[in-house]
Amino acid sequence: MSTTSKAVRIAVDTMGGDYAPEEIIKGTVTAARKGDVGIILVGPINILKAELAKYEVSYLPISCVRADEVVKEGEHPAFAIRRKPNASIAVAIELVKTGEADAIISAGPTGAASVSAIRSLGLMPGIERPVLCVPLVGFAPNTVLVDGGANIDCKPHHLLSFAVIGSVYAKRLLNINQPRVALLSIGQEEGKGNKLIQESYSLLRDSGLDFIGTIEGCDVLSGRVNVIVCDGTVGNILMKFYESLGHYIVRWLKGRLGSLPLAGSVKKLLDQMSSFTKITENESDGGGLLWGVNGVVHLMHGHSRAKQVSKAIARAKYTVETNLIEALRLDLATIGSKSLITK
């Protein structure tokens, strides 16, 4: 679709996240004030109006769509979406399906967002499950982790599709012509790892991708590979550990350096280290795209606040304007014809 004649329209699930709806709506107002984006808030109308009353929004391109149900953390995704067809996440994604919105952002449960996206938008050819790609740009600027938590119980052909999507991500967003792909395991030998890793190994080896085998945890930040493939459980644990690194490294350094002589210089150094925590924390600022569905579904961490919401809107807008979904579809058609094995 052409975006030159009108502003990109972003549907916002206002009820998803730890700080919803206050921080979600605060972030959307900030984004709307920057211009060139239309905001569609989805949630209970009385709550939306009460929150919007805190700001001067009469001149802003913000509208509201009613959704009186909420999918809460811990609910079974498929059952929750079936029982709650009027949930804010489901209604927001439906707006993308009907063409009333160009993209949707949510800080709600990833599982519910994935189920809703699959039901409403469908998956791209050759893809059975959508994935979250996690760039490790702080310490490994040319590496992406797939999957970051969208899929828990995986089969070998799922990991193969993750590798294909990760390769497309590396090409399109990291500008790597021939991404090196590896499975994350407990050893570098082909026979190491659980049954899922062992059976996935042969699929990736014969896929036509630049598959170099398996890597261990100590290789994650080494830069040896560009696409690290694992199931969503492992990926989510690793992602959250990585995002916490900056904070704990700074805390350790302060404990070690704080007792050294030259207190003034040391204190100045420690004060400057606060920016060091952003090396890994900023990986999640604004969240990321749910790759593999036929639409722009941008997910954030549950603890996202207004700053992250505003950044997510900007990223979703960029995704629409650059037509990244269509580019992914074309790349998948090329790579997938050689490598994807579907049931």
Side-chain angles (χ1 to χ4, degrees):
M1 78 175 223
S2 172
T3 60
T4 57
S5 61
K6 62 180 180 179
V8 174
R9 302 158 300 171
I10 310 292
V12 180
D13 171 17
T14 64
M15 303 307 292
D18 300 338
Y19 302 104
E22 294 88 350
E23 289 289 320
I24 306 299
I25 293 179
K26 181 180 179 181
T28 61
V29 171
T30 299
R33 284 173 176 165
K34 297 177 181 178
D36 199 28
V37 63
I39 303 295
I40 306 171
L41 301 178
V42 180
I45 295 298
N46 61 326
I47 293 178
L48 300 183
K49 288 184 176 180
E51 288 299 319
L52 286 174
K54 299 176 182 178
Y55 310 95
E56 174 51 56
V57 298
S58 59
Y59 66 99
L60 295 178
I62 298 177
S63 60
C64 300
V65 170
R66 181 174 181 175
D68 293 323
E69 297 175 305
V70 179
V71 177
K72 298 179 180 179
E73 200 70 52
E75 290 188 84
H76 189 284
F79 293 158
I81 294 301
R82 191 177 301 122
R83 292 196 307 267
K84 300 177 178 179
N86 195 40
S88 56
I89 180 62
V91 173
I93 290 178
E94 191 67 18
L95 292 175
V96 177
K97 177 183 178 181
T98 59
E100 297 171 74
D102 302 306
I104 173 260
I105 69 165
S106 176
T110 299
S114 297
V115 170
S116 292
I118 293 171
R119 290 183 62 177
S120 293
L121 304 176
L123 291 166
M124 294 180 182
I127 301 299
E128 288 192 10
R129 295 188 181 186
V131 299
L132 292 174
C133 296
V134 181
L136 306 180
V137 293
F139 289 123
N142 294 315
T143 303
V144 60
L145 176 73
V146 190
D147 171 35
N151 302 279
I152 304 303
D153 297 316
C154 297
K155 296 180 180 179
H157 63 277
H158 295 146
L159 296 196
L160 174 58
S161 69
F162 298 172
V164 172
I165 291 175
S167 294
V168 173
Y169 183 104
K171 287 182 177 181
R172 291 283 177 175
L173 298 183
L174 301 182
N175 298 315
I176 299 170
N177 291 328
Q178 190 172 356
R180 299 185 302 278
V181 180
L183 283 166
L184 184 59
S185 186
I186 59 173
Q188 296 186 15
E189 298 81 7
E190 180 175 349
K192 288 291 185 70
N194 57 24
K195 184 178 180 181
L196 173 63
I197 298 298
Q198 293 178 23
E199 293 182 355
S200 301
Y201 191 103
S202 59
L203 292 184
L204 269 71
R205 181 190 59 205
D206 301 332
S207 66
L209 300 171
D210 188 6
F211 178 61
I212 69 165
T214 56
I215 62 169
E216 300 177 75
C218 58
D219 295 314
V220 168
L221 301 179
S222 68
R224 284 186 56 210
V225 298
N226 308 116
V227 181
I228 299 174
V229 180
C230 58
D231 67 54
T233 300
V234 173
N236 192 264
I237 292 170
L238 182 58
M239 173 187 70
K240 290 177 179 175
F241 171 75
Y242 177 71
E243 290 170 358
S244 72
L245 275 179
H247 169 76
Y248 290 110
I249 290 174
V250 168
R251 190 175 74 174
W252 183 85
L253 287 173
K254 285 184 175 181
R256 294 286 179 171
L257 299 179
S259 60
L260 293 178
L262 303 174
S265 298
V266 171
K267 183 179 185 302
K268 185 177 180 180
L269 174 63
L270 295 177
D271 289 341
Q272 292 176 342
M273 283 183 182
S274 60
S275 62
F276 178 74
T277 62
K278 298 184 182 299
I279 291 177
T280 52
E281 285 180 350
N282 281 352
E283 310 293 348
S284 60
D285 261 15
L289 189 68
L290 186 65
W291 289 71
V293 296
N294 288 306
V296 180
V297 179
H298 197 92
L299 303 181
M300 301 174 288
H301 279 322
H303 57 252
S304 295
R305 290 187 179 269
K307 180 183 75 170
Q308 286 75 35
V309 173
S310 181
K311 287 189 176 184
I313 290 173
R315 290 186 180 182
K317 177 176 176 286
Y318 173 81
T319 301
V320 173
E321 291 176 332
T322 56
N323 212 5
L324 187 59
I325 295 299
E326 183 58 29
L328 172 62
R329 186 178 290 108
L330 292 174
D331 283 358
L332 284 174
T334 301
I335 299 177
S337 65
K338 302 176 183 177
S339 61
L340 282 183
I341 299 174
T342 56
K343 296 181 70 178

